Amino acid sequence: MAAEPQPKALTRKPLLLNKVEGSQEVVNMAAIVPKEDGVISVSEDRTVRVWLKRDSGQYWPSIYHAMPSPCSCMSFNPETRRLSIGLDNGTISEFILSEDYNKMTLVKSYQAHQSRVIMILFVLEMEWVLSTGQDKHFTWHCSESGQRLGGYRTSAGACGLQFDVETRHVFVGDHSGQVTILKLEQESCSLVTTFKGHTGGVTALCWDPIQRVLFSGSSDHSIIMWDIGGRKGTAIELQGHNDKVQSLSYAHHTRQLISCGADGGIVVWNMDVERQETPEWLDSDSCQKCDQPFFWNFKQMWDSKKIGLRQHHCRKCGKAVCGKCSSKRSSIPLMGFEFEVRVCDSCHESITDEERAPTATFHDSKHNIVHVHFDATRGWLLTSGTDKVIKVGARNVLLY
């Protein structure tokens, strides 16, 4: 679905708490250490670093550990201080960090994939390590023994991975734009369903276990909210980026979705509103407002002696309309359109000022974001970028 340029970032001055610099290559993933003023990062430069804030106010590495291959992803569990690291060679290595975060001890390593590990999730309740790889496989291992418990071949390389502890359902999003839902048992899995709504590959997934809603970000610049447990089948579109969505995070207590893109944009979506599904685009051989034929409708063009027109679609009602009958533009925030999009003239008249009220805020991170992590306890947001820089932003998600 074509999109107009996104709104300008807020003019309110944002607040940047700290920049963490020193990596030699792209920082693929980083996380704020809960209850500590620290950051854990993994990078293409093969290093794992734990950065602690010193008296000077700057972050310095308390741990600098070199891995045998570029580090592609990580999963950190604060309760056990278990750090699982995915490598470019398909290996997952697990470490335990000391209480003072000054030492990391290798527990085990296992060959989870035949190529680059894309995503890792550690599930403490089951003692499972879930992972996806460029080898088009989803696998899960026992974190105690390191034994492989099972696997599933996806239709394409998977970038999105989420897990629901209550139902043992795993969500896998892949480069074909498809999301696969699997039911995991101790040593087997079964396919529940697959669904597809993106025109590009799925780049990120985020799961809200309370509302039972899955968010998927894509290279098609859009986000889709899938209502898995409530109004089944409902899918809400969110349009707020002008480049691919790179990472998603969700603040459960405020019901805010945070999306970051390759455009450097950070969008904070208010999900505590009643949103509407975007309509299916209707097919027609003539404008459904003025009945003028479209350019492929040769019979009506000949009979009416009129030149065929180009077909457009109203984003609010989905009707096929000509340019003259859809000359207006409007934002429709409750449908996910925070910027102005094409609507037919009659829909434009029906949209009230209240319906145009924004439901998202926009911020510029000033770097191409690869990953985002939100610490809800302090309201801090961390982003890592292709510029090798980690940024930690202040409360209320007003950053940079």
Side-chain angles (χ1 to χ4, degrees):
M1 189 177 285
E4 301 287 335
Q6 69 177 48
K8 293 181 180 179
L10 293 182
T11 55
R12 180 178 172 186
K13 187 178 180 180
L15 180 62
L16 173 66
L17 292 180
N18 250 302
K19 283 185 181 180
V20 182
E21 301 176 279
S23 298
Q24 302 303 308
E25 297 291 343
V26 175
V27 178
N28 284 318
M29 199 168 285
I32 298 168
V33 180
K35 301 178 182 178
E36 295 283 342
D37 213 339
V39 171
I40 303 171
S41 67
V42 296
S43 170
E44 286 287 332
D45 65 10
R46 304 190 179 200
T47 63
V48 181
R49 307 186 198 205
V50 178
W51 312 78
L52 295 182
K53 194 172 185 179
R54 306 304 183 187
D55 293 338
S56 64
Q58 297 299 311
Y59 286 94
W60 293 95
S62 61
I63 295 176
Y64 179 105
H65 185 87
M67 301 295 289
S69 181
C71 306
S72 53
C73 57
M74 60 172 250
S75 177
F76 178 63
N77 181 263
E79 295 179 51
T80 60
R81 299 188 308 282
R82 183 191 297 266
L83 179 63
S84 305
I85 300 169
L87 301 180
D88 203 54
N89 61 12
T91 301
I92 294 177
S93 294
E94 291 187 352
F95 297 84
I96 297 294
L97 301 186
S98 61
E99 289 188 28
D100 60 4
Y101 291 94
N102 282 305
K103 182 181 179 182
M104 55 190 287
T105 304
L106 179 65
V107 178
K108 68 178 71 68
S109 292
Y110 38 92
Q111 191 70 30
H113 297 275
Q114 297 303 309
S115 56
R116 185 181 179 93
V117 182
I118 302 298
M119 285 292 292
I120 299 175
L121 284 179
F122 171 64
V123 184
L124 178 60
E125 293 83 351
M126 282 83 179
E127 290 289 348
W128 287 348
V129 176
L130 317 179
S131 63
T132 60
Q134 279 186 344
D135 58 2
K136 301 181 182 180
H137 275 86
F138 159 74
T139 65
W140 73 104
H141 291 73
C142 173
S143 61
E144 294 179 316
S145 66
Q147 178 184 355
R148 177 185 167 110
L149 299 176
Y152 182 88
R153 182 174 175 82
T154 56
S155 59
C159 280
L161 179 63
Q162 290 288 283
F163 182 72
D164 181 57
V165 174
E166 182 181 342
T167 63
R168 296 191 181 186
H169 285 151
V170 65
F171 306 93
V172 182
D174 64 44
H175 289 308
S176 73
Q178 180 173 284
V179 177
T180 301
I181 303 180
L182 304 169
K183 176 66 178 291
L184 297 192
E185 303 298 344
Q186 186 61 29
E187 295 185 5
S188 66
C189 72
S190 56
L191 175 64
V192 177
T193 189
T194 60
F195 46 88
K196 186 173 182 179
H198 291 288
T199 57
V202 174
T203 51
L205 291 179
C206 188
W207 172 243
D208 176 8
I210 300 171
Q211 301 294 325
R212 307 202 66 74
V213 166
L214 181 72
F215 300 97
S216 60
S218 171
S219 59
D220 65 10
H221 310 178
S222 74
I223 300 163
I224 296 179
M225 181 183 82
W226 308 88
D227 194 336
I228 303 295
R231 297 169 296 164
K232 292 179 178 157
T234 303
I236 306 294
E237 272 191 67
L238 303 174
Q239 300 275 354
H241 291 276
N242 56 26
D243 205 334
K244 69 177 178 178
V245 179
Q246 295 277 57
S247 187
L248 299 171
S249 186
Y250 190 71
H252 300 277
H253 63 299
T254 58
R255 293 195 64 188
Q256 288 179 310
L257 176 71
I258 304 162
S259 62
C260 299
D263 55 5
I266 300 173
V267 185
V268 183
W269 306 85
N270 177 14
M271 302 311 299
D272 196 21
V273 295
E274 190 68 29
R275 294 188 176 272
Q276 304 167 17
E277 276 192 290
T278 51
E280 292 288 334
W281 283 4
L282 302 177
D283 292 325
S284 179
D285 290 328
S286 58
C287 176
Q288 294 180 301
K289 293 293 181 178
C290 68
D291 202 38
Q292 288 274 66
F294 294 133
F295 64 83
W296 63 84
N297 188 354
F298 298 115
K299 185 179 186 303
Q300 188 177 345
M301 287 167 56
W302 178 264
D303 292 342
S304 61
K305 301 295 188 290
K306 292 179 179 178
I307 297 174
L309 303 176
R310 182 183 173 190
Q311 176 183 258
H312 300 282
H313 283 92
C314 172
R315 301 308 194 264
K316 190 173 192 300
C317 68
K319 288 183 177 180
V321 291
C322 67
K324 186 177 180 182
C325 292
S326 58
S327 60
K328 305 290 179 61
R329 301 289 184 274
S330 177
S331 60
I332 322 174
L334 294 181
M335 283 188 168
F337 298 112
E338 292 290 331
F339 41 75
E340 293 189 341
V341 291
R342 181 186 294 272
V343 293
C344 66
D345 292 354
S346 57
C347 280
H348 186 271
E349 293 176 5
S350 70
I351 301 173
T352 65
D353 290 341
E354 289 78 11
E355 290 177 312
R356 291 190 177 94
T359 62
T361 56
F362 296 79
H363 314 274
D364 183 9
S365 72
K366 296 182 173 62
H367 70 159
N368 182 327
I369 297 171
V370 176
H371 181 73
V372 61
H373 178 244
F374 180 64
D375 180 0
T377 59
R378 288 174 284 188
W380 289 2
L381 189 72
L382 174 151
T383 60
S384 57
T386 57
D387 57 0
K388 311 169 191 175
V389 175
I390 301 167
K391 295 185 178 183
V392 181
R395 194 171 181 83
N396 298 326
V397 207
L398 284 179
L399 307 177
Y400 314 105

